[in-house]
Amino acid sequence: MERKTKFALIVILLVIVAVVILVVVFYDGGVTGKNGAKDYILDELDGEVIECSIDEEAHFCHLIYREDSRTIGEIWIYYYPSGIEPYTPYTIKGDPDQMIRSGNVTILLKGTQQFREEACSLYNEKYGFRCSVFQRRER
C-alpha cells in the first residue's frame, strides 16, 4: 500500500473511533446514565424544563408550564430506580398542591385546577396512575 493510502485509512479509523466515543458519552444511556424522571415528562403540555438532575439514587426533573406569559402550573418528578424510600435522604423541592405516586415515581403538581386536571388525565392515560384532582380550599 502506498503511504498516502495508509495515512488516509488511519485518519478514517480515528474519526470512526471518535464518533463512537462521542455517541457513548453523550447519548442518554451512556456513561453518565439515563435520568428516569425524564420518562415522565408530559410532552403534550409543552412545559419548560427548569432542571433535570441525578442526585445519588434519586432522579429529578422540574418543569414550568406557561400560558400567555403567566405560569399556570409546575410539575416536580422524582424517580427512585433502586426502590429506595422516597424523601428519606432527599429534600423535596417545591410547594405542590397535590402528589401522585406509583411504584418508584413520585410526582408533585401545582397550578390551576384546569392544569392539574389535564396533567392528571394524561398521567392516568399514559402511565396508569390513579390521579384525581381535588379542589383546594381557600385560606
Side-chain angles (χ1 to χ4, degrees):
M1 253 192 238
E2 285 187 37
R3 192 173 181 180
K4 288 182 180 180
T5 307
K6 286 181 185 178
F7 180 74
L9 287 174
I10 290 172
V11 168
I12 291 171
L13 182 63
L14 289 174
V15 168
I16 291 172
V17 169
V19 168
V20 168
I21 289 171
L22 287 173
V23 167
V24 167
V25 169
F26 292 108
Y27 183 66
D28 266 348
V31 174
T32 59
K34 183 179 181 217
N35 187 331
K38 288 182 179 180
D39 294 340
Y40 295 90
I41 292 176
L42 298 173
D43 295 328
E44 297 86 347
L45 296 179
D46 295 324
E48 174 187 345
V49 176
I50 300 301
E51 176 187 0
C52 274
S53 62
I54 298 176
D55 182 19
E56 293 179 23
E57 305 244 351
H59 300 193
F60 168 74
C61 282
H62 176 214
L63 294 97
I64 291 183
Y65 299 86
R66 300 180 199 281
E67 187 176 90
D68 299 327
S69 67
R70 68 178 180 88
T71 301
I72 59 165
E74 294 184 60
I75 296 178
W76 294 268
I77 304 167
Y78 292 86
Y79 176 73
Y80 305 96
S82 60
I84 62 172
E85 185 63 31
Y87 316 123
T88 307
Y90 306 104
T91 303
I92 296 295
K93 302 174 184 178
D95 179 26
D97 292 328
Q98 75 183 87
M99 175 179 80
I100 56 176
R101 188 165 170 221
S102 177
N104 295 342
V105 181
T106 300
I107 298 174
L108 307 173
L109 301 173
K110 179 179 183 171
T112 64
Q113 183 166 350
Q114 180 182 354
F115 170 78
R116 288 185 290 126
E117 285 173 356
E118 192 171 354
C120 272
S121 175
L122 287 168
Y123 277 119
N124 291 343
E125 181 183 320
K126 290 177 71 172
Y127 304 107
F129 283 90
R130 292 187 201 136
C131 177
S132 60
V133 176
F134 61 89
Q135 187 104 21
R136 186 174 173 181
R137 281 193 250 170
E138 296 300 321
R139 296 177 192 184

